Amino acid sequence: MINIFKIVSFLEGISYILLLGLGMYYKYFLDDPTYVKMFGMPHGVLFIAYIILAILLKYKLKWSGETFGIVCLLSLLPFGTFFVGKYLKN
């Protein structure tokens, strides 16, 4: 399950960067919201999957509140989810 979580965290990070980078650029500079819609739904689904997997792993691996909080905080920061795999190795 931890490997699935690492894959989802990586994909969630990619979708977040695409949404913020391309989606917001096209929406606000080129007045075309198409890319926000295109990247927004996959990002939302991956974000929800990330949080659900984090909750499941919290109980399965008996994470402390601090570890769980850091994992959740990393989901909100651009590029943060790329560090989840390295953080969980410790």
Side-chain angles (χ1 to χ4, degrees), residues 8-37:
V8 168
S9 69
F10 179 76
L11 293 174
E12 196 273 337
I14 295 291
S15 71
Y16 195 27
I17 291 169
L18 288 173
L19 180 62
L20 290 177
L22 290 176
M24 293 300 150
Y25 173 78
Y26 276 92
K27 181 176 181 179
Y28 291 109
F29 290 106
L30 302 178
D31 199 29
D32 181 11
T34 305
Y35 287 93
V36 171
K37 294 176 184 177

Side-chain angles (χ1 to χ4, degrees), residues 35-80:
Y35 287 93
V36 171
K37 294 176 184 177
M38 185 170 62
F39 295 130
M41 179 60 76
H43 171 69
V45 170
L46 288 166
F47 179 77
I48 290 169
Y50 179 93
I51 296 298
I52 289 171
L53 286 169
I55 291 168
L56 292 173
L57 285 171
K58 177 187 187 315
Y59 293 109
K60 182 177 181 180
L61 300 178
K62 297 179 172 69
W63 286 348
S64 66
E66 178 183 349
T67 300
F68 179 69
I70 290 171
V71 167
C72 288
L73 178 66
L74 288 173
S75 73
L76 301 174
L77 303 173
F79 303 104

